[in-house]
Amino acid sequence: MDIVMKLISKKAAAVACLTLGSMSANAALIGFVSNPTSNSVDWATEVASMGGAVNSNVNFDSMSTGVFDGSFYSGTDGVTFLTSGDVNTVAYGAGPGQSNTSTTPTSSGEGLHAPSNYLQDGASASSFTISFDTSVLAVGFDIIDYYNPYGSNDLTIEAFTGQNALGTSLGSFTSESFNFQKNNEYFMGLLSTDNNIGSLVFSHQSNNMSDVKGLDNIVFATVSPTTVPEPAPLALLSLGLICLGFARRQNKS
């Protein structure tokens, strides 16, 4: 019986060591797209748990309406933009304001967009790249008046380690398919537990529904690399020492 118990103990210790060892590199890209009424709250909660400080200055309110200037925030906030397609105009108002509010499934999203400047995204295929001078923990933004209740997940956000969609792709998430008209906000965001987002690409494939949208309230979170929770390095060291001591005691016995 003693021999059997010793063998079980050794096996349990080995399993514990292997289990914790497997936890040492579980970096992840987390998406915030699937809870239309609370995505931004969920995003902010996760950012806070990681010690992130949120920059909320990029809302286009200090820009002039008309042609979009992608370098406007490069000096003050360390973020630049590249656009392609018809996402290139700063407009003022509550949103594009298309009025089909009945086609289901509908959602009020996170409420109405207050009249302000926003970046207009037309119905044609387009992309919008956000690049950061310094890698960030998380990024997200509001989409105004999105209309696509037909299950085709028309919008995509993808994160990269480098600026301008260079480096390694960290992963992507697509939109939920709801009717957010009229002028309701739908938040799409993501967070990298490795604190290594160099750029985000928002892309819109033409869905032939003449859906003009607005983009607003771009938020991103920075955090000192020393404050980002690592995958339990001290715990790994502690368990390693415990496993080593346990193995020695078992060998002596």
Side-chain angles (χ1 to χ4, degrees), residues 14 35 68 83 87 97 115 121 128 134 148 151 165 173 201 214 221 236 239 252:
N35 296 310
F68 174 64
T83 64
V87 54
D121 182 14
F128 179 64
T134 303
N148 188 1
F173 294 90
V201 177
L236 284 169
L239 184 59
K252 287 181 180 180

Side-chain angles (χ1 to χ4, degrees), residues 40-244:
S40 70
V41 175
D42 300 337
W43 180 90
T45 299
E46 190 68 19
V47 165
S49 74
M50 300 284 287
V54 177
N55 182 315
S56 57
N57 298 329
V58 185
N59 54 24
F60 311 115
D61 288 341
S62 53
M63 296 181 68
S64 299
T65 56
V67 178
F68 174 64
D69 179 3
S71 62
F72 186 86
Y73 292 100
S74 60
T76 57
D77 297 282
V79 57
T80 55
F81 304 95
L82 290 175
T83 64
S84 69
D86 54 6
V87 54
N88 53 21
T89 303
V90 178
Y92 175 84
Q98 293 116 315
S99 57
N100 183 341
T101 60
S102 60
T103 301
T104 58
T106 62
S107 175
S108 59
E110 299 193 32
L112 290 171
H113 175 255
S116 65
N117 282 5
Y118 65 90
L119 181 61
Q120 186 167 289
D121 182 14
S124 300
S126 62
S127 68
F128 179 64
T129 302
I130 309 171
S131 292
F132 304 98
D133 288 353
T134 303
S135 295
V136 301
L137 172 71
V139 57
F141 50 87
D142 290 325
I143 299 167
I144 312 162
D145 208 62
Y146 177 45
Y147 177 78
N148 188 1
Y150 301 117
S152 57
N153 304 98
D154 188 49
L155 310 180
T156 300
I157 50 176
E158 183 174 9
F160 294 84
T161 56
Q163 295 179 332
N164 299 324
L166 298 175
T168 301
S169 171
L170 298 172
S172 64
F173 294 90
T174 55
S175 60
E176 290 294 292
S177 294
F178 282 95
N179 175 0
F180 293 97
Q181 295 178 346
K182 182 178 179 180
N183 291 337
N184 288 308
E185 294 179 312
Y186 168 56
F187 182 89
M188 293 182 73
L190 44 76
L191 178 149
S192 171
T193 57
D194 258 2
N195 189 35
N196 62 345
I197 300 173
S199 58
L200 176 143
V201 177
F202 167 75
S203 57
H204 159 224
Q205 299 303 314
S206 178
N207 53 27
N208 299 315
M209 289 186 287
S210 299
D211 184 28
V212 179
K213 299 166 291 302
L215 307 179
D216 203 0
N217 305 319
I218 296 172
V219 287
F220 57 95
T222 57
V223 62
S224 169
T226 58
T227 63
V228 177
E230 296 293 336
L234 293 178
L236 284 169
L237 178 60
S238 298
L239 184 59
L241 293 173
I242 292 171
C243 291
L244 181 59

